[in-house]
Amino acid sequence: EMSLLMVVLLGFGDWQALAFLPVTLVLIAVLAVFSFGLGLLVSALNVYFRDVEHFMNIILLVWIYLTPVIYPLTIPGVQRYVTILKLNPMTEMTECFRATLYYGRFPTATQFGYFLAAALAVLAAGWVVLIRLEARMAEEL
């Protein structure tokens, strides 16, 4: 999907997106680390607690609406909830991608640092949970 977005941006004459392609690839790598950690965490918990699968559908649906992908943080109705939305690491991820692809600038160090720290924390949590639950996983399955 990112390659399709790049083609569309280039088609509309936004050549600055091409200049930020290396930064975008780094952001994609950090997003992959976050996703991998979340996958480890949820899959390990799902082996022991079968309802995790069903709760994740609800949690992900709410999480999608709490991530400002379609709406920016600058619109007036969202301004009073910015503090709550900033707790969501996907908010910073969205802002980082928006900065590089749409605004033609580097994401701020705070945005990138928060997103990187969240990705590493989720990866560490997923890894720890997997290691702790791994011993009896075969019997549970």
Side-chain angles (χ1 to χ4, degrees), residues 38-99:
L38 190 63
L40 285 177
L41 180 69
V42 171
S43 61
L45 289 174
N46 192 44
V47 170
Y48 290 94
F49 308 107
R50 301 295 176 167
D51 289 338
V52 169
E53 175 186 357
H54 305 293
F55 286 126
M56 281 309 295
N57 288 333
I58 298 167
I59 290 169
L60 288 175
L61 182 66
V62 171
W63 197 4
I64 286 171
Y65 285 112
L66 291 177
T67 303
V69 175
I70 308 262
Y71 56 92
L73 291 175
T74 56
I75 60 175
V78 177
Q79 285 295 324
R80 64 183 127 180
Y81 303 111
V82 168
T83 307
I84 296 169
L85 290 174
K86 289 282 187 170
L87 295 174
N88 179 1
M90 290 294 110
T91 298
E92 296 303 331
M93 182 268 316
T94 305
E95 290 299 312
C96 287
F97 277 110
R98 203 174 269 151

